[in-house]
Amino acid sequence: MIVDCAVYRNGKRVPAEEDYSDALAQARAAGSDSSFVWIGLHQPTPEEFDLVASEFGLHPLAVEDALKAHQRPKLEVYDDSLFVVLKPVIYEPRSDEVSTGEIMIFLGDAFVVTVRHGDTPLHAVRDRLEREPETLERGPTAVLYAIADTVVDHYLEVGRELHTDLEEVEAEVFSPSAGGTRNTAERIYTFKRQVLEFRRATGPLTAPMLRLAENGRGGSRVPFVDDEARPFFRDVGDHLMRVNESVEGLDRLISDILSAHLAQMSVRQNDDMRKISAWAAMAAVPTMIAGIYGMNFEHMPELTWTWSYPTVIAVMAVLEYFLFRLFKNRDWL
């Protein structure tokens, strides 16, 4: 679905032609680097996107990626356009789940085409840029920077939320009452999957941001991106580095918590086995004595004694008390 189509000139939105090719011609006719057309699409059908691709000369491989989605964050350079993939992360506080969407950005000569998959609205970015004409005057590069900056800044927010969840998991693991429950192990594995999903979005984005931050240095230039935007992309890269360090820390901590939880489970199982063994040993003594006197032999000692029964009971009680004190002193009971 086509969300918006607008032409911008000198940082301000101007009335645009309804036809894509006419809108692009309108932007190019201005003869200024700050004039461009920005088309936003949300999960377009092949028919809808084929029209845009043909009008703007988008590369077939990039078009295929934009339609199928499920791409890693990346930056690819084609003859007539630049193709950038970003993966916004969405955190659901009620379910403590992390999900990802996708934003594909095509940059070319006087045009920007954004394709969204999932619940990752860009209208807030467009509205903010339209309120900042001095930024939007930078042309398509400003759009790429604003989207990347918004996505990475949201990574920082998600990272803080995950750190809060991690503290709750850690407190649950080391709680005497709940540390050994099966639900705790399930929550740890679920959290580890969320961290992995988060890493898949943040990790691969490092290389594209580094390339944009170093644009034009060492003879390697990214086309359709203003060289003066290097400091801005470097700032995004710095934020992304903080996010990746945070994700690495989360992954290490949750692995340590999982190891601690498994160790606690093992210790508690050993304690349970010692208790079971102690009670079994205490039960074995009277069972043995009763078993001996339960044999059906005619000539057995003590059978005719008057005090045989109370003596046997007293011996059982003394032995049980001795074993109880012994196991109690060794913390088996």
Side-chain angles (χ1 to χ4, degrees):
M1 130 179 223
I2 300 171
V3 178
D4 198 356
C5 175
V7 174
Y8 298 92
R9 184 180 303 136
N10 298 325
K12 297 182 179 180
R13 183 166 180 159
V14 297
E17 299 290 341
E18 294 183 0
D19 186 80
Y20 300 142
S21 59
D22 292 341
L24 180 59
Q26 178 185 356
R28 288 174 174 171
S32 173
D33 294 338
S34 63
S35 297
F36 65 96
V37 57
W38 180 2
I39 298 177
L41 302 98
H42 178 237
Q43 297 180 185
T45 63
E47 293 76 14
E48 289 175 332
F49 201 59
D50 283 346
L51 178 60
V52 176
S54 61
E55 293 291 349
F56 291 91
L58 304 182
H59 196 279
L61 293 178
V63 170
E64 182 181 359
D65 290 344
L67 286 174
K68 292 184 177 180
H70 303 293
Q71 303 295 315
R72 287 165 52 92
K74 61 182 179 179
L75 184 154
E76 294 181 351
V77 177
Y78 297 100
D79 293 337
D80 299 324
S81 63
L82 179 71
F83 181 56
V84 181
V85 178
L86 303 174
K87 291 184 75 70
V89 174
I90 303 169
Y91 177 80
E92 296 293 342
R94 293 184 179 179
S95 58
D96 294 338
E97 291 185 359
V98 171
S99 60
T100 57
E102 289 188 41
I103 299 177
M104 285 79 168
I105 307 170
F106 294 87
L107 259 74
D109 180 18
F111 72 85
V112 178
V113 177
T114 55
V115 181
R116 296 187 293 111
H117 291 270
D119 297 329
T120 54
L122 288 179
H123 63 269
V125 177
R126 188 187 287 262
D127 291 343
R128 177 166 62 85
L129 286 175
E130 290 182 353
R131 292 193 301 269
E132 300 175 359
E134 67 281 359
T135 301
L136 199 57
E137 195 174 2
R138 298 287 182 176
T141 302
V143 177
L144 175 60
Y145 161 73
I147 296 175
D149 185 58
T150 300
V151 170
V152 173
D153 283 349
H154 192 62
Y155 287 165
L156 294 171
E157 298 176 9
V158 174
R160 286 191 289 267
E161 295 288 347
L162 289 178
H163 270 287
T164 301
D165 289 346
L166 180 63
E167 292 174 357
E168 295 177 359
V169 173
E170 187 176 17
E172 182 177 344
V173 166
F174 292 103
S175 171
S177 60
T181 63
R182 183 175 301 177
N183 291 336
T184 303
E186 181 180 355
R187 187 176 181 186
I188 292 173
Y189 279 113
T190 300
F191 187 87
K192 196 168 182 64
R193 285 198 300 269
Q194 307 306 322
V195 173
L196 178 61
E197 186 74 14
F198 194 21
R199 172 182 279 179
R200 288 174 178 168
T202 63
L205 187 58
T206 302
M209 287 298 106
L210 180 62
R211 189 174 177 185
L212 290 170
E214 299 297 325
N215 185 24
R217 292 187 176 180
S220 176
R221 184 181 182 280
V222 180
F224 310 111
V225 175
D226 190 354
D227 294 344
E228 296 180 359
R230 284 198 307 265
F232 299 95
F233 286 111
R234 190 179 303 118
D235 181 67
V236 176
D238 290 341
H239 291 174
L240 182 61
M241 185 178 300
R242 288 172 49 194
V243 171
N244 286 327
E245 290 174 353
S246 176
V247 173
E248 290 292 334
L250 285 170
D251 189 59
R252 286 195 300 268
L253 285 174
I254 196 63
S255 297
D256 292 342
I257 290 174
L258 178 59
S259 299
H261 175 67
L262 295 177
Q264 283 185 333
M265 294 284 289
S266 178
V267 169
R268 286 175 180 163
Q269 287 177 351
N270 289 337
D271 289 341
D272 293 340
M273 288 302 299
R274 285 191 300 181
K275 292 178 180 179
I276 293 172
S277 300
W279 287 111
M282 293 174 64
V285 172
T287 302
M288 178 188 67
I289 296 175
I292 292 175
Y293 283 92
M295 294 185 293
N296 296 321
F297 292 107
E298 182 178 354
H299 303 287
M300 290 184 66
E302 301 95 14
L303 289 178
T304 58
W305 291 4
T306 303
W307 297 98
S308 295
Y309 179 74
T311 300
V312 170
I313 296 298
V315 170
M316 288 183 182
V318 170
L319 291 175
E320 288 293 298
Y321 179 76
F322 172 76
L323 289 175
F324 178 80
R325 296 304 305 175
L326 177 65
F327 294 138
K328 192 70 174 178
N329 291 335
R330 295 184 178 182
D331 292 330
W332 284 34
L333 291 175

